[in-house]
Amino acid sequence: MNIWKQQLLFLLIALVSVAFFCLYPALPRILNNPEQYFQLNGAKIVISVLINYALISFIYLLFRKTFITIFFSQFIFLLIKETFVVAPWLLKFSVLSGVAVCITLIVFLYRKEQLEKKRLFLSNALLSLCSLGVLISANFSNNFSQLCQQNQLGWLCEYRQAFPNTKGDWIGDHLTIQKIGFIPFFFSKSMDSLNTRLFNTENIPEATIKALYTPYSTTMPVLKPEQQPNIVMIMSEAHWDARQLGKNIPQNITPTLDRYQTSSLLSPSFGGGTANVEFEVLTSLNIYLNHNELMYVSKLKRPTYSLATYLNSLGYDTTAMHNSGKFFYNRNSVYQNLGFNRFTSLENMTSAQDRAKYINQAGWANDDLLYQSIRNQLKHTEQPQFIYAITVENHFNYNDDRYGMDHFNINQPELSESSKRQLNTYLTGLQRADQHVEKLLQDLKQQKRPTIVIFFGDHLPNLGQVYDDFHFFASAQEKAEKKDVKFFSTPLAVWSNYPIDRSLFQQKNIAAHFLAPKVLTAAQLPLPPYYQFIQAVNACYSAIHQTGVELKPECKYPHPQLLNQYKDLNMDVLNGKNHSYQLLTQKAP
């Protein structure tokens, strides 16, 4: 076989493979609107074909046999655990039923097919290594992000979003595989893992992690089951004090939440990245120390100690809730790894037949579903409940009239019509969030069990031009760098149907990674060694954040050592051996 025929064959196989693994799972969307699908995903499909082609050429270097290379290259990736887990069920069935046949054919082809000429080897070496070099470089540098920001790569930067980015794509593994195909997914995941191991991993010794918890008591008094309060945490999508935009913003949009607001939450994200906020709240680990990665997508693949893990050990029934799809941010698997007993997603809240009537113009589910799910779960009064609920109805994009038109008339002459529409939609969403909370609190006043509700926004909204029209950013540099805490501060409100120490929350900002110990203390629950350590870090640092590492003047502990210990904890849990989880969950002899 000559080189041209071989490379055309490799390219054809790459194309057919992507068509099956990528286009087949997305067939309903393609048939529904083919023009829109290919407009949004055409470049991704091309990149997927090129990655597949490059890998086929590279695998040829191992065999120097064309047909066994084709066969082996398209099936070996199906046997990798991580990619197999997120494959569609039909593909899993096909793989499992065909493994024996595959092995037999591979052995047969290897014996039957002769080694091919050296020029084919050299041609494939040149083609595969050059193309894989570009693709690996793209993955390692987050798809040339720095060079593209400096406008150094021209046309290539127009297609950077088409390169696979399994470390930073919020839609999660299951849906990513439908968008880019199975083999590009495997390639990107492999590069993510290699990048982490080479540059971002240090295996922290078990003794070092054990030393973090040694100073703290492991024998803790526990409240009687009937005294343990329900804990409801509501993380509200893009909820923010919009009055910061200017004096022309209505002042009484959220009266209920204003009444119970104690402080602000210092979020790790601006304008998006919801899952990183809940990651910090639930684990008390730190996004800033971990390169602002999307942890739910890139790292949480194994059991990880969390607020849910600890409350389970106290006899709580733990539930994560989100009125959106279960696969976004890999929540379907992440919540299991964080120890939640269940995850109630949109799929569980209403039937597929009824779902359309709860979806607003922007494509997001109304929060009525979520708040009703909270009420339903709290009816299970045999056990104390821990509910972590994430809302979605006021999600970006705001260029629609999902709640109706002209609820708010903003007297700002320089506002464009587009900005007025966005602001009307966003402010109405804030108002609806307040009304949802007010109704919930009225119901909870009838609860016999002590109940505490913690409400906070996950991040500032992505309002785009609205910020510019109100001159929210002092300069282009401030807009780009966002080093002021005002860009990360969202309202934090606390309510309970029994007396608690509200002073625990009365400070200017509470960093998301330091919230959990305050909630446990307010609920009069004992702190385990893990949260005693987090509390000790918080005693010296008010925040460890991209806006600054804020050291408290009253800190009595050798703070550099404490900060290094906190870094070691993050490294161990996310990249290392995760000794922390084993030490904290092992049963006493």
Side-chain angles (χ1 to χ4, degrees):
M1 182 178 293
N2 67 45
I3 183 64
W4 298 110
K5 287 183 179 179
Q6 184 195 54
Q7 296 308 307
L8 283 173
L9 181 59
F10 285 173
L11 191 59
L12 178 63
I13 294 298
L15 181 62
V16 171
S17 177
V18 168
F20 177 74
F21 291 128
C22 179
L23 300 184
Y24 171 72
L27 194 59
R29 284 186 291 155
I30 295 172
L31 294 176
N32 183 51
N33 194 334
E35 184 179 349
Q36 182 187 53
Y37 178 85
F38 286 106
Q39 184 178 358
L40 293 173
N41 299 288
K44 289 182 183 290
I45 293 169
V46 172
I47 295 293
S48 298
V49 171
L50 293 177
I51 290 173
N52 196 357
Y53 166 71
L55 289 171
I56 294 172
S57 293
F58 181 75
I59 289 173
Y60 178 83
L61 305 183
L62 304 178
F63 292 107
R64 289 182 61 190
K65 298 179 179 182
T66 297
F67 292 104
I68 191 172
T69 293
I70 292 170
F71 192 80
F72 184 83
S73 67
Q74 300 308 293
F75 282 92
I76 187 61
F77 303 115
L78 302 180
L79 304 179
I80 307 300
K81 179 182 177 182
E82 190 168 46
T83 46
F84 182 79
V85 166
V86 298
W89 69 268
L90 182 60
L91 184 55
K92 291 179 184 178
F93 177 78
S94 301
V95 172
L96 289 172
S97 61
V99 166
V101 175
C102 291
I103 294 172
T104 303
L105 286 174
I106 287 172
V107 172
F108 173 78
L109 287 172
Y110 187 79
R111 290 179 176 176
K112 194 77 173 173
E113 198 173 2
Q114 301 297 314
L115 288 177
E116 294 173 337
K117 297 176 181 179
K118 285 186 178 181
R119 68 171 181 271
L120 290 176
F121 177 87
L122 295 174
S123 300
N124 280 281
L126 179 64
L127 288 167
S128 63
L129 294 179
C130 287
S131 53
L132 285 175
V134 172
L135 295 165
I136 291 170
S137 297
N139 189 277
F140 271 48
S141 61
N142 194 20
N143 295 348
F144 308 116
S145 59
Q146 187 172 357
L147 292 174
C148 287
Q149 287 172 6
Q150 299 168 0
N151 296 318
Q152 293 183 16
L153 288 180
W155 66 271
L156 186 58
C157 294
E158 296 179 19
Y159 299 98
R160 57 175 295 215
Q161 297 300 328
F163 286 87
N165 182 17
T166 50
K167 186 166 60 176
D169 196 334
W170 62 274
I171 67 172
D173 294 349
H174 184 88
L175 298 176
T176 296
I177 209 172
Q178 294 186 21
K179 282 181 65 178
I180 67 174
F182 190 79
I183 292 172
F185 173 85
F186 166 80
F187 170 80
S188 185
K189 278 292 183 186
S190 299
M191 292 304 102
D192 291 342
S193 178
L194 182 62
N195 196 348
T196 297
R197 289 181 181 277
L198 289 177
F199 303 112
N200 297 313
T201 296
E202 177 186 354
N203 286 324
I204 309 299
E206 182 178 359
T208 302
I209 299 301
K210 194 171 185 178
L212 300 183
Y213 306 123
T214 301
Y216 307 111
S217 170
T218 56
T219 57
M220 302 172 295
V222 179
L223 294 174
K224 295 178 181 178
E226 64 273 13
Q227 296 174 317
Q228 293 177 329
N230 293 324
I231 301 173
V232 181
M233 302 183 81
I234 301 172
M235 190 172 78
S236 186
E237 174 61 41
H239 194 90
W240 173 59
D241 184 0
R243 290 170 292 197
Q244 294 182 44
L245 286 172
K247 295 179 180 178
N248 292 329
I249 301 296
Q251 298 298 296
N252 197 33
I253 300 174
T254 57
T256 301
L257 292 166
D258 288 348
R259 187 182 317 135
Y260 297 111
Q261 183 172 345
T262 57
S263 56
S264 294
L265 182 90
L266 185 64
S267 167
S269 299
F270 174 89
T274 296
N276 273 351
V277 188
E278 60 182 280
F279 165 79
E280 285 205 349
V281 172
L282 289 170
T283 66
S284 291
L285 299 175
N286 194 281
I287 295 300
Y288 171 65
L289 296 179
N290 289 284
H291 314 290
N292 294 311
E293 286 186 29
L294 285 175
M295 291 299 160
Y296 278 20
V297 175
S298 64
K299 292 285 163 52
L300 291 183
K301 309 295 183 185
R302 57 189 179 183
T304 303
Y305 196 79
S306 75
L307 198 51
T309 310
Y310 173 56
L311 290 172
N312 281 338
S313 72
L314 297 184
Y316 273 73
D317 187 19
T318 56
T319 306
M321 289 184 183
H322 187 35
N323 53 328
S324 192
K326 63 184 177 180
F327 295 116
F328 287 161
Y329 283 123
N330 289 341
R331 284 186 173 107
N332 59 313
S333 58
V334 165
Y335 288 140
Q336 185 176 358
N337 286 329
L338 291 177
F340 281 99
N341 292 337
R342 70 186 59 79
F343 171 32
T344 304
S345 65
L346 178 62
E347 291 87 347
N348 310 119
M349 292 178 181
T350 183
S351 66
Q353 295 88 343
D354 294 337
R355 201 166 297 159
K357 63 186 179 185
Y358 294 103
I359 305 299
N360 62 37
Q361 285 184 20
W364 307 107
N366 293 332
D367 287 344
D368 307 70
L369 285 171
L370 181 77
Y371 281 91
Q372 188 54 49
S373 295
I374 294 173
R375 292 183 181 90
N376 292 340
Q377 189 60 41
L378 288 173
K379 291 177 182 177
H380 299 278
T381 54
E382 303 81 25
Q383 288 176 273
Q385 300 290 317
F386 170 54
I387 298 173
Y388 195 92
I390 305 117
T391 78
V392 78
E393 78 168 22
N394 208 26
H395 196 289
F396 174 82
N397 179 325
Y398 305 108
N399 295 315
D400 58 66
D401 303 309
R402 70 188 78 167
Y403 312 121
M405 298 174 64
D406 301 327
H407 289 126
F408 295 94
N409 294 314
I410 310 300
N411 245 340
Q412 191 87 2
E414 62 269 30
L415 274 186
S416 65
E417 289 304 312
S418 173
S419 291
K420 287 179 181 178
R421 187 183 193 188
Q422 287 190 62
L423 202 51
N424 176 72
T425 297
Y426 177 68
L427 295 179
T428 308
L430 295 183
Q431 189 177 63
R432 284 174 56 86
D434 190 81
Q435 292 165 354
H436 282 305
V437 172
E438 182 182 22
K439 291 177 184 177
L440 177 66
L441 299 186
Q442 289 298 325
D443 291 344
L444 294 184
K445 288 177 181 177
Q446 314 304 318
Q447 272 276 333
K448 293 181 180 179
R449 181 180 289 277
T451 300
I452 182 170
V453 176
I454 312 292
F455 176 100
F456 53 92
D458 56 351
H459 51 70
L460 270 68
N462 188 344
L463 285 171
Q465 184 62 36
V466 173
Y467 287 127
D468 295 333
D469 289 350
F470 277 92
H471 309 292
F472 185 65
F473 302 104
S475 65
Q477 183 177 355
E478 183 181 68
K479 182 178 181 179
E481 295 179 355
K482 298 184 183 69
K483 293 297 184 182
D484 194 313
V485 295
K486 76 175 183 178
F487 302 131
F488 301 92
S489 297
T490 65
L492 173 65
V494 179
W495 176 92
S496 66
N497 62 358
Y498 71 106
I500 63 169
D501 183 2
R502 292 175 62 84
S503 67
L504 289 162
F505 302 97
Q506 289 170 345
Q507 59 191 73
K508 186 175 180 181
N509 287 294
I510 297 175
H513 44 274
F514 291 142
L515 180 62
K518 295 181 184 296
V519 173
L520 293 173
T521 304
Q524 300 174 27
L525 296 172
L527 296 184
Y530 183 85
Y531 285 114
Q532 289 181 55
F533 171 71
I534 298 298
Q535 191 178 55
V537 178
N538 190 200
C540 278
Y541 294 91
S542 56
I544 301 167
H545 192 268
Q546 67 188 73
T547 57
V549 178
E550 300 179 25
L551 181 66
K552 293 182 178 180
E554 65 269 23
C555 176
K556 297 179 181 178
Y557 198 91
H559 57 85
Q561 178 185 343
L562 193 64
L563 182 59
N564 286 333
Q565 288 178 322
Y566 185 53
K567 290 177 179 178
D568 286 345
L569 174 63
N570 277 263
M571 179 62 71
D572 173 64
V573 172
L574 297 172
N575 295 330
K577 301 290 187 181
N578 202 7
H579 296 301
S580 189
Y581 182 81
Q582 304 303 325
L583 291 168
L584 293 163
T585 59
Q586 64 187 4
K587 302 294 183 182

